[in-house]
Amino acid sequence: MHIPDGYLGPATCGFFYAVMLPIWALASRIVKKTLKAKQVPMLAIGAAFSFIVMLFDIPIPGGTTAHAIGAVLIAILLGPWPACIAITVTLVIQAFLFGDGGILALGANSFNMAFADVFAGYYIYRLVSYRSKPQSIRRVIAAGIGAYMGATLAAILTAVEIGLQKGKYSPYGLKEALPAMAGASILVFGWVDALLTAAVVKYLQSRKDTLEIQPS
Amino acid sequence: MKFSHHNFIQRAIIKTINFFKESIFAQEYALQKGFLQWFPPQVKIISVLAVIVGTLLTKSIALLFVFYLICLLIASLSKIKIGYFLKRTWLFIPIFSFFIALPAFFTDFNIAVLFVTRVLVSTSYIILLSLTTPHTRLLKTLRSFGVPQVFVMTLGMCYRYIFLFAEVIENTYLAVKSRVGGAIHYKHGQHIATWRIASLWQRSLQLNREIYDAMLSRGYSGEPRVLDE
């Protein structure tokens, strides 16, 4: 899911930075205004949590493993704007310190995972769980659906961005990139994210004293 | 990605330990008195970005190889062991990209070579930047590029929590492994992994309260201040 540098042309990278700059500015303004002082460390903890979630390989049938992004989970737990900042921070650390995901491609990666995945997944969760009780099973299902849709959308966007570079930067076009990436998400990665998000929400529901899921 | 589901706990521990090792190695190189360590992080970030843009703009494979040789030369002058640097840069992204491009080598050889070489050169320069700059300084430098304060503060704090969480995960996994033994069904494995992640979030909430109290006791009034070490 993380696009390294070399996959996208400079114009595409510039375009996504131009799209993300106002989103990041808005996110930092909203978070500064709405986040209570005592929730400030939670932002950093959310980012570190997401980093660690990406380290978890979850076994799936057939002997393979996959890892989740955790973007929708963070959005459910912190809200979409803080989640946007938290996932961006995770991507910055991965790109600058570990070479995982490009520096020039950071705008595109953030658009896919810190914006599209977070917001689409979160609002699908809100829609499906509309007027449900915090402890209801509908919340758990909604979290799973939101995470699945968010991760799949991020994979489709990644495939489109790479597929549109055919000839100049990528050896493959949309015809090859879309089924390969979206298919992997629809069949495997999306389910891992869904399973993880739903299970964590279910677990947190059973812990009433520490449940801090965002209201729907 | 493909391996037996029986040893996923072990793999997660190995991954965590590797993460620690990588970070420690990176810090060791960053503190050496080599060529690139002499430059301020701002200069290095701008130069690396310029090289990556150059890499994307050129269509000459020969020029890309010159970029790569220069990268290896700078790595050597910066007292980075070439064997370690090659291992660190080739694994995982360029090799993964090579396998992605493999079928294209038979249909459009030129674009396939360009693709893999661009990825290799870009990744190598980013790793070079990361290895020759202390991580905390590198993250702090982003502030001079106009990155909003909330991002810089979160970056600095997040970097420290990653180590803390990784340690917690490592200890808990070792404890789990000592109880479940070697073989484990994937469904049970999923249950354990999810339970670990959820309990990590619980610990995070507790940690949040403790950190906020610590911040208050150090005079935090809503405006974060970044100290120079």
Side-chain angles (χ1 to χ4, degrees):
Chain A
M1 199 85 83
H2 294 58
I3 306 173
D5 279 331
Y7 279 57
L8 304 178
T12 313
C13 294
F15 170 77
F16 280 106
Y17 265 109
V19 171
M20 279 312 291
L21 279 175
I23 294 171
W24 285 326
L26 190 64
S28 77
R29 228 175 58 192
I30 290 173
V31 166
K32 213 175 166 187
K33 226 163 109 182
T34 56
L35 206 70
K36 290 172 196 154
K38 68 175 180 183
Q39 289 176 313
V40 166
M42 211 62 226
L43 255 187
I45 291 170
F49 183 78
S50 148
F51 188 100
I52 294 292
V53 162
M54 291 191 207
L55 285 180
F56 271 81
D57 282 327
I58 297 185
I60 51 172
T64 58
T65 66
H67 75 77
I69 307 170
V72 179
L73 177 63
I74 305 286
I76 293 170
L77 298 171
L78 291 180
W81 290 106
C84 177
I85 293 182
I87 302 292
T88 303
V89 162
T90 306
L91 294 172
V92 168
I93 291 179
Q94 286 173 332
F96 276 87
L97 307 186
F98 301 99
D100 190 7
I103 294 179
L104 272 192
L106 185 66
N109 282 326
S110 300
F111 180 80
N112 302 340
M113 285 181 269
F115 179 68
D117 187 353
V118 163
F119 281 87
Y122 177 72
Y123 283 105
I124 288 169
Y125 158 76
R126 290 276 304 261
L127 192 74
V128 179
S129 67
Y130 185 65
R131 287 189 176 173
S132 64
K133 287 179 184 166
Q135 305 301 323
S136 68
I137 190 74
R138 187 141 65 91
R139 280 286 173 109
V140 178
I141 295 165
I145 295 173
Y148 180 83
M149 300 299 273
T152 304
L153 176 68
I156 291 171
L157 287 169
T158 307
V160 170
E161 288 151 18
I162 293 173
L164 289 176
Q165 311 291 314
K166 192 187 177 176
K168 269 189 168 179
Y169 297 98
S170 163
Y172 304 113
L174 281 172
K175 262 188 200 169
E176 296 91 4
L178 211 50
M181 295 211 65
S185 185
I186 289 166
L187 295 174
V188 183
F189 297 101
W191 288 104
V192 174
D193 240 306
L195 186 81
L196 174 110
T197 309
V200 173
V201 168
K202 171 90 184 132
Y203 177 87
L204 292 173
Q205 278 184 336
S206 66
R207 304 269 166 165
K208 286 176 192 166
D209 53 327
T210 53
L211 183 67
E212 291 203 6
I213 295 173
Q214 295 293 302
S216 67
Chain B
M1 284 287 268
K2 196 171 172 79
F3 53 82
S4 162
H5 52 258
H6 296 307
N7 60 358
F8 87 99
I9 291 174
Q10 213 168 341
R11 281 191 176 261
I13 295 170
I14 291 166
K15 218 170 171 182
T16 315
I17 294 168
N18 282 344
F19 167 75
F20 275 115
K21 279 183 187 166
E22 286 296 334
S23 306
I24 292 162
F25 274 132
Q27 293 297 300
E28 275 179 15
Y29 282 122
L31 295 173
Q32 292 211 0
K33 287 181 178 167
F35 172 71
L36 216 54
Q37 288 87 337
W38 184 81
F39 289 94
Q42 287 95 329
V43 176
K44 282 189 271 188
I45 291 176
I46 292 168
S47 310
V48 166
L49 283 176
V51 171
I52 297 172
V53 172
T55 303
L56 293 176
L57 289 175
T58 185
K59 286 177 182 170
S60 159
I61 293 165
L63 188 62
L64 286 173
F65 275 104
V66 172
F67 278 170
Y68 187 58
L69 287 177
I70 292 172
C71 182
L72 293 181
L73 181 71
I74 296 173
S76 171
L77 289 173
S78 305
K79 297 185 177 171
I80 298 168
K81 284 179 188 161
I82 292 299
Y84 170 76
F85 185 71
L86 290 176
K87 199 177 130 197
R88 182 83 172 76
T89 49
W90 274 91
L91 292 173
F92 159 82
I93 296 161
I95 287 207
F96 179 70
S97 304
F98 173 77
F99 283 114
I100 286 180
L102 205 54
F105 276 96
F106 302 100
T107 53
D108 196 346
F109 183 78
N110 208 41
I111 194 77
V113 175
L114 255 180
F115 172 73
V116 176
T117 322
R118 273 180 183 144
V119 174
L120 173 66
V121 173
S122 307
T123 309
S124 300
Y125 274 95
I126 294 173
I127 301 283
L128 193 58
L129 169 73
S130 155
L131 286 177
T132 57
T133 320
H135 286 175
T136 44
R137 266 191 85 192
L138 188 60
L139 296 176
K140 224 178 272 177
T141 304
L142 296 175
R143 207 177 174 189
S144 54
F145 290 97
V147 176
Q149 205 180 27
V150 66
F151 280 93
V152 178
M153 182 189 67
T154 312
L155 273 168
M157 288 171 82
C158 171
Y159 183 68
R160 287 167 176 84
Y161 293 144
I162 286 170
F163 285 90
L164 182 72
F165 283 176
E167 202 183 334
V168 170
I169 295 285
E170 191 186 346
N171 291 339
T172 353
Y173 260 134
L174 280 171
V176 170
K177 187 170 166 53
S178 69
R179 280 157 183 82
V180 298
I184 179 170
H185 189 264
Y186 79 88
K187 275 201 171 173
H188 189 208
Q190 285 173 353
H191 177 75
I192 292 174
T194 317
W195 186 79
R196 291 264 60 84
I197 291 169
S199 76
L200 185 67
W201 182 256
Q202 260 193 295
R203 280 177 187 236
S204 308
L205 290 174
Q206 195 186 342
L207 190 67
N208 178 49
R209 285 188 278 269
E210 287 168 11
I211 290 161
Y212 180 65
D213 289 344
M215 284 163 75
L216 279 183
S217 71
R218 284 164 179 80
Y220 177 71
S221 58
E223 274 302 309
R225 287 167 196 269
V226 182
L227 297 173
D228 287 319
E229 285 156 346

